[in-house]
């Protein structure tokens, strides 16, 4: 018996980001607002992190509200509607439901049904993971337009007395639409993980433990370990992304790293030897660390403020809990 040869889906050779949108928590929380419970000061927080304020959403706003708002703005920027979307990818670690996926709910809210929809749990690297997957889906012919959203309401996991990470965290969402392109607009994704360091950034305990009186889980990090890992291990990853895309640091218009800490950003600039004319995203100063949302929010801000223009070449890299990382060179919408 001769078995039939399966037809395999094929797609366009190239993809790019077609549109971007972002929203931040409506409340700006100052360093003075958070300094008391951690026995700190505005000066200490600025010196250690570069943060002046962090954006946080009100109690009535949840992470899906932020994601929906960012998604609608990205669709508008791309000149598309929800009906044009074939897949929705939501990256978040602050959505309280393990099932159903938040992406499916967002797809329904924006009119994208019956688009494929799934969530990613890759913390601060989640947006770059989503870009890598969207790029692959379009080029494979599995989708024509993919919506990638990084959304977090980190304030839901804040312990006000924690000096390791909670005072860094903000709320927001950034979204992009990925679609076909006549020329390459997304370079190869360089990604990976190191689960041996899973305790470096972690939730204090599982949801199951709350049943035995453990209380609400919050976030913790081993600050020095994370700082060293980010500075010394992530710059080589960023360089691999440049090499894979066939460009050099001198070709870049912008560097958009995860907005974790201003000192980490400054050290990565040195490690990569970025030219002085490369625009560096520093959204953390006003928005704080928004995990999976930080790179698209920082990108949206650079474009909105005119610091870079459509068509600019940018290196983006996310890294965080897992420990996980992802990076790629992209053409900005």
């Amino acid at each position: 018996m001769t078995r039939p040869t399966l037809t395999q889906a094929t797609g366009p050779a190239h993809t790019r980001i077609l549109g971007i949108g972002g929203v931040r928590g409506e409340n700006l929380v100052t360093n003075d607002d958070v300094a008391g419970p951690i026995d700190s000061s505005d000066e200490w927080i600025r010196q250690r992190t570069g943060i002046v304020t962090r954006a946080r959403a009100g109690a009535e706003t949840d992470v899906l509200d932020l994601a929906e708002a960012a998604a609608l703005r990205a669709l508008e920027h791309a000149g598309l509607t929800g009906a044009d979307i074939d897949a929705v990818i939501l990256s978040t670690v602050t959505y309280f439901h393990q099932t159903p996926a938040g992406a499916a709910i967002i797809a329904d809210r924006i009119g994208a049904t019956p688009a494929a929809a799934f969530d990613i749990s890759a913390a601060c690297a989640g947006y770059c993971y989503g870009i890598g997957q969207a790029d692959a889906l379009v080029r494979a012919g599995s989708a024509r337009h993919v919506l990638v959203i990084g959304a977090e309401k980190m304030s839901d996991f804040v312990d006000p007395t924690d000096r390791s990470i909670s005072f860094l965290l903000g709320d927001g969402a950034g979204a992009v639409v990925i679609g076909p392109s006549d020329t390459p607009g997304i370079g190869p994704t360089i990604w990976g993980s190191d689960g041996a360091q899973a305790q470096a950034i972690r939730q204090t305990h599982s949801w199951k433990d709350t049943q035995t009186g453990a209380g609400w889980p919050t976030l913790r990090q081993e600050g020095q370990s994370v700082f060293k890992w980010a500075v010394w291990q992530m710059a080589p990853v960023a360089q691999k992304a440049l090499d894979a895309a066939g460009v050099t640091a001198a070709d870049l218009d912008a560097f958009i790293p995860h907005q974790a800490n201003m000192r980490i950003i400054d050290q990565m600039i040195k490690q990569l030897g970025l030219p002085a004319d490369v625009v560096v995203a520093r959204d953390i100063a006003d928005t704080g660390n928004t995990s999976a949302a930080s790179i698209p929010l920082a990108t949206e801000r650079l474009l909105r403020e005119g610091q870079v223009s459509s068509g600019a070449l940018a290196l983006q890299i996310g890294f965080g809990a897992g420990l996980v990382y992802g990076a790629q060179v992209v053409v900005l919408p």
Side-chain angles (χ1 to χ4, degrees), residues 93-94 96 153-167 169 199-207 209-210 214-221 321:
V93 294
T94 52
F96 290 123
K153 191 180 180 191
M154 304 303 291
S155 60
D156 283 338
F157 291 85
V158 164
D159 172 359
T161 66
D162 168 53
R163 288 176 62 91
S164 73
I165 193 172
S166 290
F167 65 96
L169 304 176
Q199 291 300 306
I201 308 173
R202 64 193 184 280
Q203 188 173 298
T204 50
H205 51 269
S206 77
W207 292 106
D209 291 337
T210 62
W216 190 264
T218 56
L219 298 176
R220 295 289 188 278
Q221 75 170 349

Side-chain angles (χ1 to χ4, degrees), residues 167-184:
F167 65 96
L168 305 174
L169 304 176
D171 304 335
V176 293
V177 178
I178 306 297
S181 174
D182 293 333
T183 57

Side-chain angles (χ1 to χ4, degrees), residues 24-27 55-62 66 153 155 170-171:
R24 292 164 175 79
E26 63 272 25
N27 302 314
R56 290 183 176 172
E60 70 286 353
T61 301
D62 68 20
L66 295 168
K153 191 180 180 191
S155 60
D171 304 335

Side-chain angles (χ1 to χ4, degrees), residues 273-298:
L274 292 184
D277 62 348
V278 174
V279 176
V280 178
R282 298 184 182 275
D283 188 50
I284 188 173
D286 303 318
T287 306
N289 179 343
T290 55
S291 188
S294 80
I295 293 175
L297 281 177

